[in-house]
Amino acid sequence: MLSKKTRYAFRALSYLAENYGGGPVLISEISKEKKIPLKFLENILNELKKANLLESKKGKGGGYFLKLSPKKINLATVIRVINGPIALLPCVSLNFYEKCEDCDEEICGIRKVMTITRDVTLKILEKKTLYNIIHASV
Amino acid sequence: MLSKKTRYAFRALSYLAENYGGGPVLISEISKEKKIPLKFLENILNELKKANLLESKKGKGGGYFLKLSPKKINLATVIRVINGPIALLPCVSLNFYEKCEDCDEEICGIRKVMTITRDVTLKILEKKTLYNIIHASV
DNA sequence: TTGATATCCTACCATTTTAGTAGGGGAAAG
DNA sequence: CTTTCCCCTACTAAAATGGTAGGATATCAA
């Protein structure tokens, strides 16, 4: 399951996507509108910034805004930044790979299934973007 | 990601699947062969038993064995018993559903994507069984 | 019927992760 | 040079994870 933090991230990003092109948005505004604890949100937005999804501006008239168009930010990227691996096993993860002990990867049956699972999941999460989630009714 | 406990469960079940039809297998044997901490494994096998996947026999000649054929135990079931929900969000889970606050499910874009993701994942995990993972090379 | 064998059950515990909070520092605008 | 607002470090409570300990209970077999 995705952490609460990740769900907050999606909500915040949706809000920023809706305001894309409209200049910086205050943390406090997002916090209020999307009901996300302010200081926690501060943290989340900063991580997203470090991951190059957001940009920020300090001082008056400052705030956060999307660095890329909502169509160019896919859900897999967001999940990886805030939540971590998408694969169900470390030995199957593309971005967080870790070898598993006591297991021959060549013949491991679980690994094979989890690889397939990862692939179909990624096919969706990498294709769907912030644009898709704010225009879901279409 | 699946917990270590879930991975232990899969390893133990694979062993029991390989020994299917050969009578009860000792916890201590599985523990030794699959390098799983004994008391922790005890716990896991008991949960699987309560979920009707295993049967057990006490006393001499006792142990654990699969209640159903390896072809009838699918991976989704095992994951749900030991790990919990398969969906990425509670509001999208079939077996562990929980309503999310501040979200209209009818129009929630994230929910829509996560529903699709759940469906493709389940399609695989419900189809693949213990038989598949012990005969992966085929 | 008693002892050995093996699962069952309850409770505990250390470590890590999650979900925050607190408070000051530092850049930018005016 | 002050106000606004992001940036950064540190702390903390609660829950989840990954186990351990030890006795209760059922079964078999001599």
Side-chain angles (χ1 to χ4, degrees):
Chain A
M1 300 270 280
L2 300 177
S3 65
K4 214 165 171 180
K5 190 175 177 184
T6 309
R7 283 175 256 171
Y8 285 154
F10 277 126
R11 297 236 298 266
L13 286 168
S14 300
Y15 191 79
L16 290 174
E18 282 163 2
N19 285 275
Y20 183 63
V25 181
L26 293 180
I27 300 181
S28 56
E29 181 185 336
I30 304 172
S31 164
K32 203 175 159 192
E33 289 298 319
K34 292 292 185 176
K35 290 173 187 159
I36 304 170
L38 185 96
K39 294 296 276 181
F40 197 32
L41 177 59
E42 213 176 292
N43 198 305
I44 294 167
L45 295 178
N46 222 258
E47 284 183 50
L48 292 169
K49 186 197 168 182
K50 281 177 185 159
N52 273 306
L53 300 179
L54 298 182
E55 285 210 84
S56 65
K57 221 181 136 187
K58 287 183 180 177
K60 188 159 195 181
Y64 279 97
F65 50 99
L66 294 186
K67 193 168 183 176
L68 293 71
S69 129
K71 287 191 180 179
K72 296 210 167 170
I73 300 179
N74 71 64
L75 306 193
T77 304
V78 177
I79 292 175
R80 282 180 179 134
V81 169
I82 305 295
N83 207 73
I86 286 167
L88 289 173
L89 294 177
C91 67
V92 157
S93 172
L94 295 173
N95 291 258
F96 299 82
Y97 175 81
E98 270 175 61
K99 194 165 177 274
C100 44
E101 331 121 19
D102 309 321
C103 151
D104 182 347
E105 295 192 354
E106 285 305 308
I107 59 167
C108 175
I110 298 173
R111 189 178 141 87
K112 288 206 169 88
V113 176
M114 295 308 166
T115 303
I116 299 170
T117 305
R118 178 206 66 198
D119 285 341
V120 299
T121 303
L122 274 186
K123 202 169 172 180
I124 296 165
L125 296 179
E126 285 182 339
K127 190 180 170 186
K128 295 294 183 179
T129 66
L130 293 185
Y131 181 85
N132 294 121
I133 67 176
I134 63 174
H135 294 101
S137 48
V138 182
Chain B
M1 301 269 281
L2 300 178
S3 65
K4 212 166 172 180
K5 192 176 178 184
T6 308
R7 282 176 254 169
Y8 285 153
F10 276 127
R11 296 234 301 264
L13 286 168
S14 300
Y15 192 79
L16 290 174
E18 282 164 2
N19 285 273
Y20 183 62
V25 180
L26 293 179
I27 300 181
S28 55
E29 182 185 335
I30 304 172
S31 164
K32 203 175 158 191
E33 289 298 319
K34 292 292 185 175
K35 290 173 188 160
I36 304 169
L38 186 93
K39 294 296 275 181
F40 197 31
L41 177 59
E42 212 176 294
N43 198 307
I44 294 166
L45 294 178
N46 224 257
E47 284 184 50
L48 291 169
K49 187 197 169 182
K50 281 177 186 159
N52 274 305
L53 299 180
L54 297 182
E55 285 211 85
S56 66
K57 223 182 135 186
K58 288 182 178 178
K60 187 159 194 180
Y64 278 97
F65 51 99
L66 294 186
K67 193 169 185 176
L68 293 72
S69 126
K71 287 190 181 180
K72 297 209 168 172
I73 301 179
N74 71 64
L75 307 194
T77 305
V78 177
I79 291 175
R80 282 179 178 132
V81 169
I82 305 295
N83 208 74
I86 286 167
L88 289 173
L89 294 177
C91 68
V92 157
S93 173
L94 295 173
N95 290 259
F96 300 81
Y97 174 82
E98 270 174 61
K99 194 167 175 273
C100 44
E101 330 122 19
D102 309 321
C103 150
D104 182 347
E105 294 191 354
E106 285 305 308
I107 59 166
C108 175
I110 298 174
R111 190 179 140 87
K112 289 206 168 88
V113 175
M114 294 309 167
T115 304
I116 300 170
T117 305
R118 179 206 65 196
D119 286 340
V120 299
T121 303
L122 274 186
K123 202 168 174 180
I124 296 167
L125 295 180
E126 284 182 339
K127 189 179 170 186
K128 296 293 184 177
T129 67
L130 293 184
Y131 180 86
N132 293 122
I133 68 175
I134 64 174
H135 294 101
S137 48
V138 182

